[in-house]
Amino acid sequence: MIAEAAGGQIGVFDSGVGGLSVMQAIREQLPDERLLYLADQAHVPYGTKSLAEVRSYAEGITRFLLAKGCKLIVVACNTASAASLHYLRQVFPGVPIVGMEPAVKPAAERTQTGVVGVLATTATFQGELYASLLERFANDVTVLQDTCPGLVSLIEAGNLEGEEPRRVLESALRPMLHQGIDVVVLGCTHYPFITPLIQAIVGPGVKVIDPAPAVARQVKRVLEENGLRHPAENGAVAFGSPMVSYRYFTTGDAFQLQGMLLKLIGERAPVERLRWEGTSLVEG
């Protein structure tokens, strides 16, 4: 049985660096937990892939993380959650799995104008999860949507505040502002890293909702419900050495991800390289 002991780590994965925003929130909520982060940068962005392709990637990644002894899996990607969350829970019934969903419910609760905007990928908008959220929570509000083409790739390249991301966001947000939005939902885990740019465009009167803190709280609840919380310790939790708590993998360029770790979360850490062999991940 996977994750029988509270000493295992939490596995977090995304198509690229976006899930680091979720990992950061988990670290703040659960500082004594060990985390393993996997960026499937060989396939980034997931938003342009078919749901079947993303489901296959998610299954292969989950198998790898479980083989590493992860006690809980976080699908830190809205597209992968939309494509595969229900499927993964069927394939791995004994494993706690936490996913992402666009924060439509809190947006509908907070709006004063009755108009909210959602920024997400095409695959997220096409998923059954998003349709269900609209049906359950957005009957009384107007929801405006934009896929922000190319924005994930810009963020992957470290372009967080230049003219190109501003142009993409202006194109998405200006029409929404003209229609009266007062809440913007970040429906992709990459987007919290450009929150300052988004806020600068929409102004102080528009609330920007990042779902990462809510996901971290859910991870904490699931760990506690399953008796999997790591006991609190002084200092870092041992992971290979007394001072290492976090481990990073990528299917892309390890050096590039190292640079993004420093740029996005201020962390200097080694990154281990993985490669796909069919539908399986192999180290080295």
Side-chain angles (χ1 to χ4, degrees):
M1 174 66 182
I2 298 294
E4 292 180 340
Q9 64 262 33
I10 297 168
V12 182
F13 77 88
D14 180 34
S15 62
V17 300
L20 292 171
S21 64
V22 178
M23 183 172 176
Q24 279 290 83
I26 295 171
R27 286 167 63 157
E28 292 172 8
Q29 188 76 221
L30 298 160
D32 295 296
E33 292 289 345
R34 299 185 299 174
L35 287 96
L36 191 160
Y37 185 84
L38 196 156
D40 186 19
Q41 291 175 300
H43 294 130
V44 69
Y46 277 179
T48 60
K49 306 291 192 296
S50 72
L51 295 180
E53 285 178 298
V54 175
R55 191 176 299 122
S56 176
Y57 305 150
E59 181 178 356
I61 292 168
T62 300
R63 290 192 187 279
F64 176 84
L65 294 175
L66 294 178
K68 287 294 180 183
C70 290
K71 61 186 177 182
L72 180 145
I73 305 298
V74 181
V75 186
C77 172
N78 289 82
T79 299
S81 294
S84 66
L85 191 57
H86 180 65
Y87 173 76
L88 292 177
R89 287 170 174 163
Q90 286 183 320
V91 175
F92 306 102
V95 179
I97 301 176
V98 175
M100 307 291 301
E101 63 179 34
V104 172
K105 181 181 179 181
E109 292 172 344
R110 296 183 195 182
T111 180
Q112 298 297 308
T113 64
V115 185
V116 304
V118 181
L119 307 181
T121 66
T122 300
T124 295
F125 287 135
Q126 290 176 345
E128 293 180 7
L129 179 60
Y130 182 73
S132 173
L133 290 172
L134 293 183
E135 183 178 342
R136 286 181 289 155
F137 305 120
N139 286 323
D140 298 325
V141 300
T142 298
V143 179
L144 307 178
Q145 303 170 180
D146 199 283
T147 59
C148 298
L151 190 55
V152 167
S153 295
L154 290 170
I155 296 168
E156 282 288 315
N159 190 346
L160 309 181
E161 52 192 18
E163 285 303 313
E164 289 180 274
R166 176 176 286 276
R167 177 182 52 77
V168 174
L169 288 168
E170 291 270 6
S171 177
L173 293 168
R174 288 300 175 195
M176 293 183 181
L177 289 168
H178 290 152
Q179 295 181 67
I181 61 164
D182 62 351
V183 181
V184 173
V185 174
L186 304 185
C188 172
T189 55
H190 283 75
Y191 297 168
F193 290 118
I194 53 169
T195 296
L197 182 54
I198 294 171
Q199 198 72 70
I201 293 170
V202 299
V206 176
K207 172 71 175 176
V208 179
I209 300 182
D210 173 8
V215 173
R217 291 191 294 272
Q218 176 65 8
V219 169
K220 181 179 179 181
R221 282 193 293 270
V222 173
L223 289 177
E224 291 174 345
E225 288 170 1
N226 289 275
L228 295 174
R229 278 288 301 275
H230 193 286
E233 296 184 11
N234 294 321
V237 181
F239 195 109
S241 78
M243 296 304 295
V244 179
S245 305
Y246 312 112
R247 194 173 179 184
Y248 299 93
F249 291 90
T250 182
T251 60
D253 184 330
F255 182 76
Q256 190 268 347
L257 182 56
Q258 277 186 305
M260 291 302 289
L261 288 175
L262 186 60
K263 183 180 183 71
L264 297 177
I265 63 175
E267 180 165 349
R268 297 182 185 274
V271 175
E272 300 171 64
R273 178 77 162 82
L274 303 174
R275 69 181 189 278
W276 285 98
E277 289 190 355
T279 58
S280 299
L281 284 171
V282 178
E283 294 183 68

